[in-house]
């Protein structure tokens, strides 16, 4: 087995779980693209020193975040509300900085979050490498640098605009292999009294729920308070607060500042203790995670094969990036799931990465109602169950898979 080096501290670590060949989580494709479809060997490991749960191998960021990146934040009402509420919280707690308030978002996507600051007349700017989504922000009047964020970009922004009072990143930090460079950039750009907030899917939720679908090419890291504390400290920053969130099936929002500027919240210490009880700082924890994942794979396949043999129509609900891991790891193709409905126009008419199940418009779910629907967009379960009461009333059954397989 090749030697892996921790992306944070460079210590060697072993792979703990191998998923085999995986395509890009967001690599929805047309039939004529199948011969050139991209695959990589996906595995994860845990470094006992940095306590970072990480992919052993992943495609280059350029392969994932490019001119045709499929995700627009503004297309989800739920996420728009989420960002609006948090922007209000940020504005009500702006740090006392010497200069004019300046908010920077890393991975600003289509500018949905920054629009909240711009609307309030607060100076702000975004940094976004995917050109198509960045252009959408620029068209909406949000100053955006089309680039990956790193130390050099941080220096350029600081030279041109001064220090940032607030830096923010949502579902971005976990995507970036060279994360030390991001943290270094943040400590360059952040005002001495400034705060850096970031939120990402939380390792604690993944372990509690067995939600291994959070592991795909774009999620290079799954953070915990332990690992964030380690990487922050290496780069002159302190973790001073953490707040659990329900987004993306369970996330954590971290607050950081320059070392020694502000005190660590009571809540942070409590969550650190909770992580110790859950074993997020220990390699052994991930051995039982592996057993759980294998069990889910076997049970899901057994169920789908049984339904196929009984002649039932089984569809999927929500062509998520996450489902790419489940479908490929379990080897589920269109012989087991006929189609997956999704409301995103850019995914409709395409095939799922690797397993080539047709993605169809939502109208198909209404017109050709399946007997069973696998809830791939489980992170939106409340909203979907609410919307689809008629499906259940008419005898339709949901299949969910975390923390165990359930037919509802
Ligand atoms: P998302 O939550 O962004 O997950 P991921 O990051 O794993 O892709 O994706 C949710 C997907 O589900 C998105 O493609 C839209 C789709 N969706 C529906 O088709 N119907 C719905 O009611 C909801 C809430 C989502």
């Amino acid at each position: 087995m090749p030697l892996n080096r921790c992306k944070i501290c460079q210590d060697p670590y072993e792979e703990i779980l191998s998923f085999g060949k995986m395509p890009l989580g967001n690599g929805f494709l047309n039939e004529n693209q199948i011969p050139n479809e991209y695959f990589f060997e996906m595995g994860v490991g845990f470094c006992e020193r940095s306590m970072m749960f990480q992919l052993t191998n992943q495609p280059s960021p350029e392969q994932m975040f490019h001119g045709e990146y499929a995700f627009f934040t503004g297309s989800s009402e739920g996420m728009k509300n989420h960002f609006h509420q948090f922007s209000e919280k940020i504005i009500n707690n702006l740090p006392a900085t010497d200069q004019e308030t300046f908010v920077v978002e890393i991975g600003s996507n289509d500018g949905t979050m920054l629009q909240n600051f711009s609307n309030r007349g607060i100076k702000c700017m975004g940094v976004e490498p995917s050109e198509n989504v960045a252009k959408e922000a620029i068209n909406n009047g949000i100053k955006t640098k089309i680039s990956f964020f790193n130390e050099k970009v941080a220096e350029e922004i600081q030279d041109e605009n001064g220090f940032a009072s607030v830096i923010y990143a949502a579902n971005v930090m976990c995507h970036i292999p060279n994360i030390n460079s991001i943290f270094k950039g943040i400590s360059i750009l952040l005002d001495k009294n400034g705060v850096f907030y970031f939120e990402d899917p939380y390792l604690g939720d993944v372990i509690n729920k067995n939600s291994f679908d959070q592991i795909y090419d774009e999620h290079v890291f799954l953070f915990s308070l332990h690992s964030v504390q380690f990487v922050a400290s290496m780069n002159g920053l302190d973790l001073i607060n953490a707040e659990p969130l329900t987004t993306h099936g369970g996330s954590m929002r971290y607050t950081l500042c320059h070392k020694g500027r502000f005190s660590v919240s009571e809540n942070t210490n409590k969550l650190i203790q909770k992580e110790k009880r859950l074993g997020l700082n220990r390699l052994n924890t991930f051995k039982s995670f592996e057993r759980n994942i294998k069990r889910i794979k076997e049970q899901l396949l057994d169920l789908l094969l049984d339904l196929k043999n009984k002649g039932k129509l089984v569809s999927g609900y929500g062509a998520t990036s996450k489902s790419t891991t489940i479908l490929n790891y379990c080897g589920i193709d269109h012989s087991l799931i006929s189609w997956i409905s999704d409301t995103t126009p850019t995914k409709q008419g395409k095939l799922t990465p690797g397993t080539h199940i047709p993605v169809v418009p939502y109208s198909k779910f209404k017109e050709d109602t399946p007997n069973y629907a696998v809830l791939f967009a489980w992170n939106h379960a409340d909203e979907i169950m609410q919307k689809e009461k008629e499906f259940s009333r008419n005898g339709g059954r949901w299949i969910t898979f975390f923390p165990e397989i359930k037919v509802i």
Side-chain angles (χ1 to χ4, degrees), residues 105-376:
E105 184 176 8
I106 302 171
S108 46
N109 198 272
D110 57 7
T112 299
M113 173 63 162
L114 288 177
Q115 196 78 58
N116 296 305
F117 297 98
S118 173
N119 291 346
R120 300 275 290 259
I122 294 172
K123 182 169 127 184
C124 60
M125 108 171 249
V127 185
E128 170 56 56
S130 296
E131 198 172 327
N132 61 331
V133 286
K135 283 201 167 142
E136 178 88 11
I138 294 167
N139 288 341
N140 290 328
I142 302 296
K143 185 171 172 184
T144 306
K145 193 174 181 73
I146 305 179
S147 169
F148 284 96
F149 183 83
N150 54 32
E151 291 141 279
K152 188 166 158 281
V153 168
E155 272 164 17
E156 283 166 16
I157 297 176
Q158 196 275 322
D159 274 351
E160 283 168 28
N161 305 275
F163 290 102
S165 329
V166 171
I167 305 180
Y168 176 72
N171 305 308
V172 168
M173 299 297 282
C174 71
H175 290 173
I176 305 169
N178 189 10
I179 200 162
N180 278 320
S181 165
I182 306 285
F183 276 99
K184 285 198 177 80
I186 286 158
S187 60
I188 290 169
L189 181 57
L190 193 65
D191 186 277
K192 66 179 191 307
N193 287 330
V195 282
F196 168 46
Y197 299 103
F198 78 96
E199 58 188 65
D200 276 298
Y202 178 51
L203 181 63
D205 282 293
V206 172
I207 296 300
N208 265 333
K209 296 176 187 154
N210 295 323
S211 48
F212 67 93
D213 60 351
Q214 293 286 9
I215 302 168
Y216 60 96
D217 60 308
E218 293 182 23
H219 290 172
V220 180
F221 302 110
L222 284 172
F223 298 116
S224 63
L225 273 74
H226 275 87
S227 58
V228 169
Q229 230 174 17
F230 185 94
V231 64
S233 170
M234 263 183 75
N235 292 289
L237 300 167
D238 275 346
L239 171 68
I240 52 166
N241 196 24
E243 182 191 347
L245 304 171
T246 55
T247 43
H248 290 285
S251 297
M252 190 66 78
R253 179 181 291 149
Y254 307 92
T255 310
L256 286 79
C257 67
H258 283 292
K259 231 173 203 159
R261 286 314 284 187
F262 304 112
S263 53
V264 178
S265 72
E266 184 66 16
N267 196 37
T268 309
N269 293 326
K270 276 191 191 148
L271 285 166
I272 292 263
Q273 291 313 316
K274 202 169 161 189
E275 286 193 350
K276 286 202 166 88
R277 288 195 294 276
L278 194 55
L280 297 191
N281 54 342
R282 287 193 306 274
L283 187 60
N284 259 349
T285 307
F286 304 100
K287 302 248 189 265
S288 53
F289 178 59
E290 180 183 10
R291 283 194 294 276
N292 295 345
I293 291 178
K294 288 191 168 148
R295 192 179 58 242
I296 289 173
K297 173 180 177 170
E298 280 165 22
Q299 291 177 351
L300 184 57
L301 274 174
D302 284 351
L303 174 63
L304 293 177
L305 277 167
D306 183 47
L307 294 175
K308 180 186 168 166
N309 292 337
K310 288 179 176 151
K312 302 291 182 190
L313 175 59
V314 182
S315 78
Y317 197 104
T320 56
S321 317
K322 292 187 288 293
S323 52
T324 298
T325 297
I326 302 192
L327 293 171
N328 284 275
Y329 176 63
C330 299
I332 297 168
D333 62 13
H334 67 275
S335 69
L336 294 177
I337 293 184
S338 302
W339 39 263
I340 302 182
S341 64
D342 196 285
T343 50
T344 317
T346 49
K347 292 181 185 174
Q348 295 163 0
K350 296 209 168 163
L351 303 170
T352 56
T355 50
H356 309 148
I357 300 172
V359 181
V360 300
Y362 173 63
S363 52
K364 174 92 172 160
F365 182 79
K366 286 292 193 196
E367 287 155 14
D368 192 7
T369 305
N371 305 112
Y372 291 78
V374 184
L375 187 57
F376 290 118

